[in-house]
PDB file of all heavy atoms in Angstrom:
ATOM      1  N   ALA C 332      -4.546  -1.577   0.706  1.00  0.00           N
ATOM      2  CA  ALA C 332      -4.112  -0.565  -0.262  1.00  0.00           C
ATOM      3  C   ALA C 332      -3.647   0.708   0.450  1.00  0.00           C
ATOM      4  O   ALA C 332      -2.633   1.299   0.071  1.00  0.00           O
ATOM      5  CB  ALA C 332      -5.240  -0.253  -1.243  1.00  0.00           C
ATOM      6  N   LEU C 333      -4.372   1.132   1.477  1.00  0.00           N
ATOM      7  CA  LEU C 333      -3.955   2.313   2.234  1.00  0.00           C
ATOM      8  C   LEU C 333      -2.625   2.063   2.939  1.00  0.00           C
ATOM      9  O   LEU C 333      -1.749   2.936   2.977  1.00  0.00           O
ATOM     10  CB  LEU C 333      -5.030   2.712   3.258  1.00  0.00           C
ATOM     11  CG  LEU C 333      -6.337   3.259   2.690  1.00  0.00           C
ATOM     12  CD1 LEU C 333      -7.385   3.401   3.790  1.00  0.00           C
ATOM     13  CD2 LEU C 333      -6.116   4.588   1.978  1.00  0.00           C
ATOM     14  N   ASN C 334      -2.462   0.864   3.477  1.00  0.00           N
ATOM     15  CA  ASN C 334      -1.210   0.513   4.144  1.00  0.00           C
ATOM     16  C   ASN C 334      -0.046   0.540   3.153  1.00  0.00           C
ATOM     17  O   ASN C 334       1.028   1.065   3.466  1.00  0.00           O
ATOM     18  CB  ASN C 334      -1.324  -0.864   4.799  1.00  0.00           C
ATOM     19  CG  ASN C 334      -0.120  -1.184   5.635  1.00  0.00           C
ATOM     20  OD1 ASN C 334       0.200  -0.471   6.577  1.00  0.00           O
ATOM     21  ND2 ASN C 334       0.560  -2.267   5.291  1.00  0.00           N
ATOM     22  N   ASP C 335      -0.249  -0.005   1.967  1.00  0.00           N
ATOM     23  CA  ASP C 335       0.813  -0.008   0.959  1.00  0.00           C
ATOM     24  C   ASP C 335       1.208   1.420   0.577  1.00  0.00           C
ATOM     25  O   ASP C 335       2.399   1.721   0.436  1.00  0.00           O
ATOM     26  CB  ASP C 335       0.387  -0.788  -0.285  1.00  0.00           C
ATOM     27  CG  ASP C 335       0.292  -2.282  -0.032  1.00  0.00           C
ATOM     28  OD1 ASP C 335       0.844  -2.763   0.969  1.00  0.00           O
ATOM     29  OD2 ASP C 335      -0.351  -2.963  -0.854  1.00  0.00           O
ATOM     30  N   LEU C 336       0.223   2.291   0.408  1.00  0.00           N
ATOM     31  CA  LEU C 336       0.525   3.690   0.090  1.00  0.00           C
ATOM     32  C   LEU C 336       1.325   4.340   1.212  1.00  0.00           C
ATOM     33  O   LEU C 336       2.317   5.036   0.969  1.00  0.00           O
ATOM     34  CB  LEU C 336      -0.764   4.492  -0.124  1.00  0.00           C
ATOM     35  CG  LEU C 336      -1.489   4.307  -1.439  1.00  0.00           C
ATOM     36  CD1 LEU C 336      -2.813   5.058  -1.412  1.00  0.00           C
ATOM     37  CD2 LEU C 336      -0.636   4.774  -2.609  1.00  0.00           C
ATOM     38  N   ARG C 337       0.900   4.107   2.424  1.00  0.00           N
ATOM     39  CA  ARG C 337       1.563   4.735   3.578  1.00  0.00           C
ATOM     40  C   ARG C 337       2.991   4.209   3.740  1.00  0.00           C
ATOM     41  O   ARG C 337       3.911   4.978   4.007  1.00  0.00           O
ATOM     42  CB  ARG C 337       0.745   4.477   4.838  1.00  0.00           C
ATOM     43  CG  ARG C 337       1.104   5.404   5.957  1.00  0.00           C
ATOM     44  CD  ARG C 337      -0.029   5.509   6.954  1.00  0.00           C
ATOM     45  NE  ARG C 337       0.303   6.506   7.927  1.00  0.00           N
ATOM     46  CZ  ARG C 337       0.956   6.249   9.056  1.00  0.00           C
ATOM     47  NH1 ARG C 337       1.324   5.032   9.341  1.00  0.00           N
ATOM     48  NH2 ARG C 337       1.224   7.214   9.908  1.00  0.00           N
ATOM     49  N   LEU C 338       3.183   2.908   3.564  1.00  0.00           N
ATOM     50  CA  LEU C 338       4.539   2.350   3.634  1.00  0.00           C
ATOM     51  C   LEU C 338       5.435   2.957   2.569  1.00  0.00           C
ATOM     52  O   LEU C 338       6.592   3.301   2.827  1.00  0.00           O
ATOM     53  CB  LEU C 338       4.501   0.828   3.477  1.00  0.00           C
ATOM     54  CG  LEU C 338       3.967   0.023   4.642  1.00  0.00           C
ATOM     55  CD1 LEU C 338       3.845  -1.447   4.262  1.00  0.00           C
ATOM     56  CD2 LEU C 338       4.859   0.182   5.864  1.00  0.00           C
ATOM     57  N   THR C 339       4.907   3.079   1.361  1.00  0.00           N
ATOM     58  CA  THR C 339       5.690   3.626   0.251  1.00  0.00           C
ATOM     59  C   THR C 339       6.069   5.079   0.516  1.00  0.00           C
ATOM     60  O   THR C 339       7.233   5.470   0.345  1.00  0.00           O
ATOM     61  CB  THR C 339       4.904   3.505  -1.064  1.00  0.00           C
ATOM     62  OG1 THR C 339       4.636   2.117  -1.297  1.00  0.00           O
ATOM     63  CG2 THR C 339       5.686   4.065  -2.232  1.00  0.00           C
ATOM     64  N   LEU C 340       5.109   5.889   0.948  1.00  0.00           N
ATOM     65  CA  LEU C 340       5.417   7.285   1.262  1.00  0.00           C
ATOM     66  C   LEU C 340       6.393   7.374   2.431  1.00  0.00           C
ATOM     67  O   LEU C 340       7.286   8.232   2.431  1.00  0.00           O
ATOM     68  CB  LEU C 340       4.145   8.065   1.581  1.00  0.00           C
ATOM     69  CG  LEU C 340       3.262   8.419   0.396  1.00  0.00           C
ATOM     70  CD1 LEU C 340       1.990   9.112   0.862  1.00  0.00           C
ATOM     71  CD2 LEU C 340       4.002   9.289  -0.603  1.00  0.00           C
ATOM     72  N   GLY C 341       6.238   6.500   3.406  1.00  0.00           N
ATOM     73  CA  GLY C 341       7.154   6.488   4.539  1.00  0.00           C
ATOM     74  C   GLY C 341       8.590   6.230   4.105  1.00  0.00           C
ATOM     75  O   GLY C 341       9.527   6.866   4.599  1.00  0.00           O
ATOM     76  N   VAL C 342       8.774   5.308   3.168  1.00  0.00           N
ATOM     77  CA  VAL C 342      10.117   5.041   2.651  1.00  0.00           C
ATOM     78  C   VAL C 342      10.636   6.246   1.880  1.00  0.00           C
ATOM     79  O   VAL C 342      11.786   6.668   2.052  1.00  0.00           O
ATOM     80  CB  VAL C 342      10.128   3.773   1.758  1.00  0.00           C
ATOM     81  CG1 VAL C 342      11.433   3.642   1.002  1.00  0.00           C
ATOM     82  CG2 VAL C 342       9.865   2.527   2.587  1.00  0.00           C
ATOM     83  N   ARG C 343       9.810   6.804   1.019  1.00  0.00           N
ATOM     84  CA  ARG C 343      10.235   7.961   0.218  1.00  0.00           C
ATOM     85  C   ARG C 343      10.588   9.160   1.107  1.00  0.00           C
ATOM     86  O   ARG C 343      11.484   9.931   0.796  1.00  0.00           O
ATOM     87  CB  ARG C 343       9.147   8.363  -0.775  1.00  0.00           C
ATOM     88  CG  ARG C 343       8.818   7.305  -1.809  1.00  0.00           C
ATOM     89  CD  ARG C 343       9.932   7.103  -2.806  1.00  0.00           C
ATOM     90  NE  ARG C 343       9.482   6.299  -3.929  1.00  0.00           N
ATOM     91  CZ  ARG C 343      10.054   5.179  -4.309  1.00  0.00           C
ATOM     92  NH1 ARG C 343      11.106   4.715  -3.674  1.00  0.00           N
ATOM     93  NH2 ARG C 343       9.582   4.520  -5.342  1.00  0.00           N
ATOM     94  N   LEU C 344       9.886   9.298   2.216  1.00  0.00           N
ATOM     95  CA  LEU C 344      10.153  10.393   3.154  1.00  0.00           C
ATOM     96  C   LEU C 344      11.220  10.037   4.183  1.00  0.00           C
ATOM     97  O   LEU C 344      11.589  10.879   5.003  1.00  0.00           O
ATOM     98  CB  LEU C 344       8.859  10.785   3.886  1.00  0.00           C
ATOM     99  CG  LEU C 344       7.795  11.449   3.038  1.00  0.00           C
ATOM    100  CD1 LEU C 344       6.460  11.480   3.782  1.00  0.00           C
ATOM    101  CD2 LEU C 344       8.233  12.859   2.664  1.00  0.00           C
ATOM    102  N   GLU C 345      11.661   8.774   4.178  1.00  0.00           N
ATOM    103  CA  GLU C 345      12.644   8.267   5.140  1.00  0.00           C
ATOM    104  C   GLU C 345      12.155   8.457   6.573  1.00  0.00           C
ATOM    105  O   GLU C 345      12.880   8.905   7.460  1.00  0.00           O
ATOM    106  CB  GLU C 345      14.004   8.922   4.919  1.00  0.00           C
ATOM    107  CG  GLU C 345      14.576   8.631   3.548  1.00  0.00           C
ATOM    108  CD  GLU C 345      15.906   9.337   3.281  1.00  0.00           C
ATOM    109  OE1 GLU C 345      16.348  10.155   4.115  1.00  0.00           O
ATOM    110  OE2 GLU C 345      16.489   9.045   2.225  1.00  0.00           O
ATOM    111  N   VAL C 346      10.896   8.094   6.796  1.00  0.00           N
ATOM    112  CA  VAL C 346      10.284   8.220   8.110  1.00  0.00           C
ATOM    113  C   VAL C 346      10.718   7.048   8.991  1.00  0.00           C
ATOM    114  O   VAL C 346      10.631   5.892   8.586  1.00  0.00           O
ATOM    115  CB  VAL C 346       8.739   8.230   7.998  1.00  0.00           C
ATOM    116  CG1 VAL C 346       8.085   8.192   9.371  1.00  0.00           C
ATOM    117  CG2 VAL C 346       8.279   9.433   7.213  1.00  0.00           C
ATOM    118  N   ALA C 347      11.173   7.374  10.168  1.00  0.00           N
ATOM    119  CA  ALA C 347      11.457   6.376  11.195  1.00  0.00           C
ATOM    120  C   ALA C 347      10.472   6.618  12.333  1.00  0.00           C
ATOM    121  O   ALA C 347       9.990   7.748  12.516  1.00  0.00           O
ATOM    122  CB  ALA C 347      12.894   6.512  11.689  1.00  0.00           C
TER     123      ALA C 347
END
Side-chain angles (χ1 to χ4, degrees):
L333 291 171
N334 187 59
D335 290 343
L336 283 174
R337 197 158 186 270
L338 287 173
T339 300
L340 286 176
V342 169
R343 297 290 192 236
L344 291 166
E345 298 177 354
V346 173

